[in-house]
Amino acid sequence: MINFVIPCLLGLEGPISEELRLMDIENVAAENGRVLFSGDEYTLARANIRSRYAERVQILVGSFEAYSFEDLFQGVKSLPWEDWISERDAFPVKGYSINSTLFSVSDCQSIIKKAVVERLRQNYKTAWFEETGAVRQIQFSIMKDRVSMLIDTSGYGLHKRGYRPQSAEAPLKETMAAALCRLSRLRTYHTLYDPMCGSGTIIIEGALMAMNIAPGIGRSFSAERWDNIPESVWRRERELAKSLEKRDCDFFAYGSDIDGKAIEIAKINSQRAGVADKVSFEVGDVKNFSPKTERGTLICNPPYGERLGDVCEAERLYSVMGQAFTPKKGWSYSVICPSETFEKSFGRKADKRRKLYNGMIKCDLYMYYK
C-alpha cells in the first residue's frame, strides 16, 4: 500500500476528496491545503490523469518530528528511499519550512540530500551516484516541526493540461477554473456562459467536466518514466478514463471578451482541448451581455483592482455586471473576486459566499441563484 498526498489551493480540499472517492480511491482524508489517500500504482496513475482540482500527486515516504539538524538527518535516513530511487535515478531536493525550529530551507535541503545519499549508499553498496536516470523529485515540508518527506509523481503541475500554450493576461489556473464549475454545480445539460472569458479557461474546463473528459489524458507525468511502474498501468488507466467520456451530452458554452486577441487564443485553446464543437467564442463587452438561452449557468473571473490598476475602475465594472446579470428563473451567477465590497458595487447580496484562494490572492466566490 502506498500513501499519497495531494497539495491544493486552500478551499479545494472538499472537491478533491469528493472526486477521489468517486474514482474508488480509499482512505481519503482532508487537511488544510492537502488531501491524503492510499492505494497502488494504478491509484497513482488514476489520480494524475483524472483529478481536476489537484496541484500534483506526491508519494508520502514518511513523517516525523525534527527539532535539530541531527533529528532531521536521522529521520530522513530511516526512511525506505531504496523502494523508490534506483542507483541511476536523479533525486534533487526542494521544499519549505513554516513555523518550525529548522527555518533555513537551504540547510534543510543539504542535510536531507546527505541523509538520502547515506541511506542509498548502505543499500546499493556504492560511493557515488551519477543521477543520470529518471527524476525522482524529493520534496519536504516542515510545519510546526513536523517533517513530511515526499516524492513528486506529476512533474509539471496538474493545472498544465497541455491545451493552453498561450493565455491572456492574468490567466486563471485550470484547476481553479474547474473548481468554480464544480462549486457552481455545472451539469451535463447546462448552458455555460463566461462574458469575461479571457483565453477561455472556465469555458474549456466546463466543457471537459460536462463531457467527463479526464483533464490529464493528453499529457505526460514524471512517474511515467520510472522503471518500477509498468507502462501497462498508465495505458490501462487512460483506457478507463476514455471509456467514461460522455461526448454526446447536451452541454454547450458561450464565451465572450472585449479583447479580440484573447478570443482568438480561446478558440485555439478549445481546439487543442478537443471541445471546440461544444463551445462558441465571440468579441463582446460585458455591459452588452445578452444570453442566447432561457436558462444558463454564468461563471466569471472579472479583472481585480490590482489587475486593472484602479480600484475605482473595478468597482464601476462590478456595478455594470450587477445591471447585466439580472435575477431570473433558471439562472445562476458565480463571480470570484477579492473585493470585500463587491456585493455593494454589484448591487445585490450574494445567496452564498465561499472563501477561495486564486493563487496567492484571497477571494470570495459570490454565488447568486435566487
Side-chain angles (χ1 to χ4, degrees):
M1 185 72 74
I2 308 168
N3 293 318
F4 297 99
V5 173
I6 282 179
C8 62
L9 296 170
L10 289 171
L12 299 189
E13 299 90 346
I16 290 172
S17 298
E18 180 186 56
E19 71 171 354
L20 291 174
R21 292 188 183 102
L22 289 172
M23 293 181 212
D24 297 322
I25 290 174
E26 300 178 345
N27 302 319
V28 178
E31 297 181 352
N32 279 341
R34 68 180 196 170
V35 177
L36 289 75
F37 59 103
S38 59
D40 56 15
E41 63 267 33
Y42 291 95
T43 307
L44 184 158
R46 185 175 304 174
N48 271 297
I49 292 167
R50 291 166 57 182
S51 180
R52 298 189 189 280
Y53 324 117
E55 290 304 301
R56 55 183 61 251
V57 178
Q58 301 168 326
I59 293 166
L60 179 61
V61 183
S63 299
F64 54 89
E65 304 283 332
Y67 303 95
S68 67
F69 288 133
E70 181 62 19
D71 291 342
L72 181 62
F73 182 88
Q74 294 300 334
V76 172
K77 186 183 172 186
S78 70
L79 298 177
W81 296 103
E82 65 278 3
D83 290 351
W84 296 105
I85 302 172
S86 74
E87 279 186 80
R88 295 171 299 283
D89 293 331
F91 49 100
V93 177
K94 65 180 180 180
Y96 61 87
S97 177
I98 299 174
N99 297 329
S100 299
T101 307
L102 304 178
F103 58 85
S104 171
V105 171
S106 59
D107 286 339
C108 291
Q109 278 180 295
S110 177
I111 287 163
I112 289 169
K113 183 74 174 185
K114 289 175 182 176
V116 175
V117 167
E118 186 62 28
R119 172 81 184 203
L120 296 178
R121 275 178 180 163
Q122 292 176 359
N123 278 273
Y124 295 126
K125 312 300 181 187
T126 183
W128 179 256
F129 295 93
E130 293 184 359
E131 298 194 47
T132 56
V135 175
R136 316 282 178 127
Q137 177 67 62
I138 295 173
Q139 297 186 261
F140 66 89
S141 70
I142 309 177
M143 294 278 289
K144 297 181 179 178
D145 300 316
R146 182 73 182 173
V147 181
S148 293
M149 295 303 307
L150 311 128
I151 297 177
D152 176 58
T153 72
S154 302
Y156 292 117
L158 294 182
H159 68 279
K160 295 188 177 181
R161 320 292 207 206
Y163 66 75
R164 197 171 75 169
Q166 287 183 293
S167 60
E169 187 178 354
L172 187 72
K173 265 189 176 183
E174 292 89 332
T175 42
M176 177 55 72
L180 296 182
C181 293
R182 153 68 177 74
L183 295 171
S184 300
R185 299 185 178 182
L186 187 68
R187 297 292 184 263
T188 58
Y189 52 85
H190 281 188
T191 304
L192 173 63
Y193 290 85
D194 182 357
M196 287 173 279
C197 68
S199 55
T201 310
I202 291 175
I203 294 292
I204 293 169
E205 289 296 324
L208 291 172
M209 180 181 293
M211 291 188 280
N212 204 35
I213 298 173
I217 200 161
R219 58 159 282 178
S220 62
F221 308 93
S222 63
E224 287 190 75
R225 295 182 286 278
W226 296 1
D227 53 15
N228 57 339
I229 301 180
E231 186 273 335
S232 59
V233 170
W234 296 93
R235 184 172 63 252
R236 193 184 95 171
E237 286 302 322
R238 283 195 169 89
E239 289 171 353
L240 175 59
K242 197 77 177 171
S243 72
L244 297 172
E245 292 180 3
K246 301 173 182 176
R247 289 182 176 268
D248 59 348
C249 66
D250 294 329
F251 173 87
F252 200 82
Y254 296 93
S256 56
D257 198 280
I258 199 169
D259 183 349
K261 183 178 179 182
I263 290 297
E264 290 306 310
I265 293 172
K267 290 177 180 178
I268 294 169
N269 289 345
S270 69
Q271 291 169 353
R272 291 175 63 94
V275 299
D277 61 331
K278 289 290 186 179
V279 304
S280 174
F281 293 104
E282 62 183 18
V283 177
D285 193 319
V286 66
K287 70 181 180 183
N288 300 320
F289 174 68
S290 178
K292 304 175 188 297
T293 53
E294 290 186 9
R295 296 171 177 267
T297 301
L298 187 150
I299 307 171
C300 66
N301 172 41
Y304 307 153
E306 297 91 330
R307 288 159 60 193
L308 286 171
D310 183 347
V311 174
C312 291
E313 188 178 343
E315 290 176 353
R316 284 194 294 271
L317 174 61
Y318 304 152
S319 177
V320 167
M321 291 164 57
Q323 296 170 42
F325 304 165
T326 55
K328 50 188 170 181
K329 186 177 180 181
W331 277 83
S332 68
Y333 305 97
S334 297
V335 182
I336 185 170
C337 181
S339 172
E340 287 291 330
T341 59
F342 172 81
E343 291 164 307
K344 181 179 178 182
S345 300
F346 190 76
R348 299 196 302 281
K349 192 170 181 63
D351 297 307
K352 186 177 180 181
R353 288 173 60 169
R354 181 166 181 143
K355 293 194 180 301
L356 295 171
Y357 276 81
N358 185 7
M360 298 301 291
I361 302 174
K362 185 179 179 182
C363 296
D364 278 285
L365 181 62
Y366 296 91
M367 292 178 275
Y368 298 85
Y369 43 79
K370 291 180 182 177

